[in-house]
Amino acid sequence: MGEPRTLTKRHKRSLTGRLATVAAALCLTSATVALLPAPSSAATGPGGETVAEGGHTARISRTEYGIPHILARDFNGLGYGYGYAFAQDNVCELADQVVTLRGERSQFFGPDGESGEGSNLASDTYYTGQRRAGTVQRLLDWKAPLGPTAELRRMVEGYAAGYNRYLRDTGIGKLPDPRCKGKPWVRPITPLDLWSVVYDVNRVTAEVPLAPDIGDAKPPAAGAGGTAASGTSRATAAASVIPGAQGPATAGVGSNGWALGRDATRTGNAMVLANPHLPWAVGNFRLYQVQLTIPGTLDVSGAGLYGTPLVEIGHNQSLAWTHTTSDAQHASFYALKLVPGDPTSYVIDGKAEPMKRRTVPVTVRDENGRLSTVDRTLYTSRFGPVLSSAWTTKTAYAVRDANADNLRSMNAWLAMGKAQSLAQLRAAQNTYQGIPWTYTLAADTGGGTYFTDSSAVPHLTDEQLGRCTLPAGNETPAALDGSTSACAWGSDPDALVPGIYGPSHQPKLNRTDYVANSNNGPQYTNPEAPLTGLPGVYDINPRLDQRAQLGLRMIAQRANGTDGLGAPGFTRATLRASMLGNRVLSAETGRDDVVGMCRAHPRLTATDGTEVDVQQACTTLARWDTRADTTSRGTALWITFFNRLLDNGPPDTWRRVPYDPAQPLTTPRGVNGDDVRVQHALADAVQDFAARDLPVDTELGAVQKWAGIPLPGCDVGCFDVMDASPDSGTGTPPAGVFGSSFLMAVELTPDGPRAHTLLTYGQSSNPASPHYTDQTRLFSRKQWVTERFTQAEITGDPALTVTTLHS
């Protein structure tokens, strides 16, 4: 990556006022709480860098299901307790992340990785190059608000020290997790390792999924003509992660989020529902539940991504918030017009400009365990790193990431955790502008709600998009024209860094009824007050999918009491029941059409020409309750049928009622049973069940599992998303599971927050831990954990265990 861009004088002048605003807004009154004993001696931790441990003191109180509540007198101690507690539960996951981010996978596991195609070597090339360039360290050298605040620096130093303390106390050879017990790749970590985790998380919508592509980039061989040097598979993969026109998308993340105001609840208290959808087995996308408390300074409860030092979805005494993945662009592909005869130089504004090259040495272990060093080369343009995909003698592609200079995300989340109102939350986000790729939905004790996309979005005008966008080809991504500087990102006067939109252009909505999002664009956050007139980069897919439609329908039906859950208005109980009601909109609007079709045609022709008897399948669907509960009979068949149907052509072509822009909340809907593709899909589904020796009325929980535990939900119009079908792995390998992860339903009452939570895969990734699947069993039964937030609630837990740490 290139050097961090310098700030203009205009940007520098705007910082002082914003810092003063947030500092005033976040001032808290000290609470009267007994402090921990004074710290004892200092120590120095190992790990390649000096890790200050002196003066760390923390108390870890674990309540039922192993949920840690960390109490400390300062941020050093708070990080120390958090790092120690996290290591107790997930030491292998963070150790593995660090191996990746240090560029050492080839050294310990060989160059090929699971793909067998040199994926470790490509990844190591990328991350070693990043380390040797000092990218993260340069961002750390910046002062706040661009760089981390002093509090966060102390928090991260403490976290690293706490993790290392756990390794020393336990011994790597005696770790309880058999996956990394005694492994040479488990080593002490440094603050830089943790900041690298943060930086990686921030860029997951752009460079991170393309890291192997960047690491493998090389110019075409002499005489290659116009043929892509690296073949078509990577080019196709790169093009497949593009949302809309010209940016990589977030791979494998999503969410539902509701903030309900005083007009939507029976009590008049605001409520928040958090329901992020994430992979269950990817280390830096698993969430960890924790409460972090410094009396008089911070008291926040919720969940954060593995290896990050804070709560990123959660609540405090007066405020609650959640995030969903933003539909905006957070990066751009640029097509580089190459200089004839020199595929490592490109033309911009009529002048040749050479790519920057960086030689990267990577240590590789061969099949006999011998180590050697391989020199690799990374190529970078003014628009960002160059990709291996579709690099020909005429064109190369680069990716520019709006979060390439973002290490300030933790500043924003810490300030949000301290905020006591929506106004203070807004001040925090406007000051740090660090939320990387998500929407924010929030509510406070005043009964108001708030929605915004405060994420880092490229400053591209609609005129630029229309003029600069080059269409995608069969093996090439849609991209911006990199031959002219007129297609480069602009900036806003109120943007903290050049190249992105500032707060004045960001979507925002305040309501006293509700704001909601299910990864759709911002327009229908609340259909009563559509957000329109936004720059196109904020709303690249304005159509609502089935899940987004279902979420809005659920809120509307709860408002008028027509959802079968009792009198109108939300309560804590009906909020939880709505979340885990396991409704399937594709079935609610299409099941009867399919039943009508198969009753009229009891024998259907499959795609392969075989005639299939579908009478039993038809009876199963007719009797089905259209829910995705673990005991529902018909859900598994419907999932298989509907996924086959989605593979058979664009939905509008086989819908009974196609999409109508005038009816965005209710179209498309239904299934056209006269369409031969619909008939093929049902016959194919029945064939599929027969091939697996499964009855067509098999319960969903019999085929959708994690560690043998039945899972509810689906991925074909369910609000509660779950994809753990046999086609996706059913936990074998476990990476096949994706969906609901951390659930939080919280009411902000005058007497304090009342919350229920559920971490669907448990606190620990260690299969030998009692907290590996304990909450998965709750999820399977639609049960929640009653949160313990106050000290009295924590100390009153019969399952309480307490560990006090000093260094």
Side-chain angles (χ1 to χ4, degrees):
M1 297 179 65
E3 295 287 329
R5 289 167 288 119
T6 58
L7 296 178
T8 64
K9 291 182 179 180
R10 167 176 51 77
H11 285 102
K12 292 178 179 178
R13 285 196 301 268
S14 66
L15 301 186
T16 305
R18 282 197 292 270
L19 281 172
T21 299
V22 79
L26 299 182
C27 183
L28 297 175
T29 303
S30 298
T32 304
V33 179
L35 295 178
L36 294 163
S40 56
S41 61
T44 301
E49 292 180 10
T50 301
V51 180
E53 289 189 6
H56 297 128
T57 301
R59 177 176 298 156
I60 305 169
S61 300
R62 286 190 183 264
T63 52
E64 57 183 346
Y65 302 101
I67 299 170
H69 307 258
I70 315 299
L71 176 66
R73 62 173 66 247
D74 53 32
F75 283 94
N76 303 71
L78 195 63
Y80 193 65
Y82 193 179
Y84 190 94
F86 183 82
Q88 287 179 305
D89 291 321
N90 299 293
V91 63
C92 294
E93 298 296 334
L94 187 51
D96 186 73
Q97 279 182 264
V98 168
V99 170
T100 298
L101 298 174
R102 289 179 177 176
E104 297 174 341
R105 300 204 71 80
S106 299
Q107 175 181 337
F108 290 103
F109 309 119
D112 289 339
E114 293 181 1
S115 71
E117 298 179 353
S119 58
N120 280 348
L121 182 58
S123 171
D124 289 343
T125 302
Y126 173 77
Y127 285 111
T128 301
Q130 189 171 280
R131 281 257 172 165
R132 291 176 70 87
T135 303
V136 175
Q137 185 58 58
R138 281 201 299 273
L139 297 178
L140 286 171
D141 291 341
W142 290 0
K143 304 295 185 183
L146 295 171
T149 64
E151 293 173 330
L152 273 170
R153 293 175 193 272
R154 292 194 294 269
M155 182 91 170
V156 169
E157 289 171 0
Y159 191 115
Y163 178 94
N164 295 339
R165 164 76 180 270
Y166 173 76
L167 287 183
R168 290 198 307 277
D169 286 355
T170 307
I172 293 172
K174 296 181 180 180
L175 293 174
D177 192 332
R179 298 174 303 158
C180 64
K181 179 180 179 181
K183 301 296 185 182
W185 47 270
V186 180
R187 295 157 298 165
I189 64 172
T190 69
L192 182 61
D193 291 323
L194 293 171
W195 286 117
S196 297
V197 171
V198 170
Y199 187 58
D200 216 49
V201 165
N202 289 349
R203 297 171 308 116
V204 79
T205 56
E207 283 194 33
V208 169
L210 295 173
D213 203 300
I214 296 167
D216 258 354
K218 52 184 175 293
T227 303
S230 54
T232 59
S233 60
R234 284 191 187 273
T236 302
S240 70
V241 296
I242 304 168
Q246 48 302 88
T250 306
V253 295
S255 302
N256 298 313
W258 293 352
L260 306 170
R262 56 181 176 268
D263 295 337
T265 67
R266 277 195 231 164
T267 60
N269 299 324
M271 300 179 185
V272 167
L273 173 68
N275 175 216
H277 306 146
L278 297 168
W280 281 28
V282 180
N284 62 338
F285 271 105
R286 282 174 66 105
L287 288 160
Y288 187 72
Q289 188 173 355
V290 69
Q291 182 175 0
L292 302 173
T293 305
I294 300 174
T297 300
L298 179 71
D299 193 7
V300 62
S301 183
L305 292 168
Y306 277 25
T308 61
L310 293 171
V311 166
E312 287 139 16
I313 291 177
H315 71 86
N316 55 34
Q317 182 75 15
S318 306
L319 177 77
W321 75 93
T322 188
H323 297 292
T324 61
T325 305
S326 166
D327 196 48
Q329 291 180 23
H330 299 100
S332 298
F333 284 133
Y334 276 90
L336 308 179
K337 180 181 177 181
L338 301 181
V339 174
D342 183 3
T344 60
S345 294
Y346 55 98
V347 177
I348 184 162
D349 296 335
K351 297 181 180 179
E353 187 167 304
M355 296 176 184
K356 294 180 180 179
R357 306 185 193 195
R358 179 179 296 277
T359 300
V360 177
V362 178
T363 302
V364 177
R365 179 180 298 273
D366 67 18
E367 58 186 12
N368 298 313
R370 292 189 294 266
L371 298 179
S372 61
T373 299
V374 177
D375 285 336
R376 307 264 288 178
T377 303
L378 291 170
Y379 296 86
T380 305
S381 72
R382 68 161 62 184
F383 297 110
V386 178
L387 308 176
S388 68
S389 296
W391 190 346
T392 72
T393 57
K394 296 180 179 179
T395 308
Y397 290 85
V399 60
R400 183 176 179 187
D401 189 344
N403 287 293
D405 53 12
N406 184 4
L407 209 61
R408 57 193 184 274
S409 58
M410 295 297 113
N411 292 347
W413 273 308
L414 177 57
M416 289 165 61
K418 291 180 177 181
Q420 297 297 301
S421 68
L422 294 175
Q424 293 176 9
L425 180 144
R426 284 194 299 272
Q429 292 194 338
N430 290 348
T431 296
Y432 295 112
Q433 298 177 27
I435 302 301
W437 41 264
T438 61
Y439 298 130
T440 301
L441 301 95
D444 65 10
T445 49
T449 69
Y450 177 61
F451 166 88
T452 187
D453 186 348
S454 64
S455 62
V457 174
H459 192 290
L460 289 166
T461 66
D462 292 353
E463 186 276 332
Q464 277 182 297
L465 293 178
R467 170 172 48 82
C468 294
T469 301
L470 304 176
N474 291 334
E475 302 295 345
T476 58
L480 298 175
D481 184 354
S483 69
T484 171
S485 57
C487 295
W489 297 353
S491 194
D492 262 2
D494 59 342
L496 190 59
V497 295
I500 63 173
Y501 278 108
S504 61
H505 276 106
Q506 294 167 352
K508 297 180 180 67
L509 185 63
N510 287 93
R511 300 285 295 181
T512 55
D513 51 358
Y514 73 89
V515 293
N517 186 267
S518 292
N519 307 127
N520 46 295
Q523 182 172 359
Y524 298 110
T525 297
N526 186 310
E528 296 298 317
L531 287 168
T532 58
L534 301 169
V537 289
Y538 276 102
D539 198 359
I540 61 176
N541 186 21
R543 283 183 57 166
L544 298 175
D545 67 9
Q546 294 254 293
R547 176 163 55 91
Q549 288 182 343
L550 178 56
L552 294 173
R553 179 178 295 201
M554 289 162 62
I555 292 173
Q557 291 175 342
R558 183 83 299 269
N560 57 34
T562 59
D563 58 358
L565 295 177
F570 279 97
T571 64
R572 292 200 298 273
T574 58
L575 180 58
R576 297 195 302 273
S578 296
M579 174 63 241
L580 295 183
N582 291 323
R583 291 176 60 175
V584 187
L585 186 60
S586 63
E588 291 180 10
T589 63
R591 186 274 307 269
D592 291 347
D593 293 334
V594 176
V595 170
M597 177 269 292
C598 60
R599 282 176 171 167
H601 305 282
R603 300 187 70 83
L604 297 172
T605 302
T607 301
D608 64 5
T610 303
E611 190 175 87
V612 178
D613 185 340
V614 297
Q615 292 183 82
Q616 189 175 356
C618 202
T619 299
T620 296
L621 292 177
R623 293 174 177 173
W624 177 37
D625 60 5
T626 71
R627 301 279 174 152
D629 294 330
T630 57
T631 56
S632 293
R633 295 182 182 274
T635 318
L637 177 63
W638 182 263
I639 292 170
T640 303
F641 156 73
F642 210 82
N643 276 320
R644 294 272 187 172
L645 194 51
L646 290 171
D647 290 337
N648 285 348
D652 282 350
T653 63
W654 46 257
R655 288 289 195 182
R656 179 169 49 83
V657 180
Y659 175 69
D660 181 354
Q663 302 179 66
L665 305 182
T666 57
T667 62
R669 64 178 181 272
V671 176
N672 180 8
D674 294 330
D675 193 311
V676 67
R677 292 170 297 180
V678 174
Q679 298 176 10
H680 283 333
L682 183 58
D684 291 346
V686 173
Q687 274 190 324
D688 180 72
F689 271 63
R692 290 186 283 154
D693 198 26
L694 291 172
V696 291
D697 65 346
T698 297
E699 290 185 350
L700 176 62
V703 294
Q704 184 166 272
K705 300 179 180 181
W706 168 261
I709 299 169
L711 299 178
C714 76
D715 65 341
V716 291
C718 280
F719 189 73
D720 178 14
V721 168
M722 184 55 57
D723 182 5
S725 64
D727 290 341
S728 69
T730 318
T732 310
V737 178
F738 168 90
S740 292
S741 51
F742 174 66
L743 306 183
M744 179 184 74
V746 58
E747 180 180 9
L748 299 168
T749 80
D751 298 322
R754 301 289 183 267
H756 289 78
T757 64
L758 190 61
L759 190 63
T760 55
Y761 37 65
Q763 285 288 95
S764 178
S765 59
N766 175 11
S769 169
H771 304 305
Y772 178 60
T773 57
D774 53 354
Q775 293 193 63
T776 312
R777 288 188 286 273
L778 295 181
F779 180 52
S780 182
R781 300 191 297 263
K782 298 187 179 183
Q783 296 176 333
W784 298 67
V785 177
T786 301
E787 184 190 73
R788 296 177 180 272
F789 183 71
T790 68
Q791 286 299 309
E793 291 167 344
I794 294 167
T795 57
D797 186 354
L800 180 69
T801 62
V802 178
T803 302
T804 301
L805 300 172
H806 304 288
S807 68

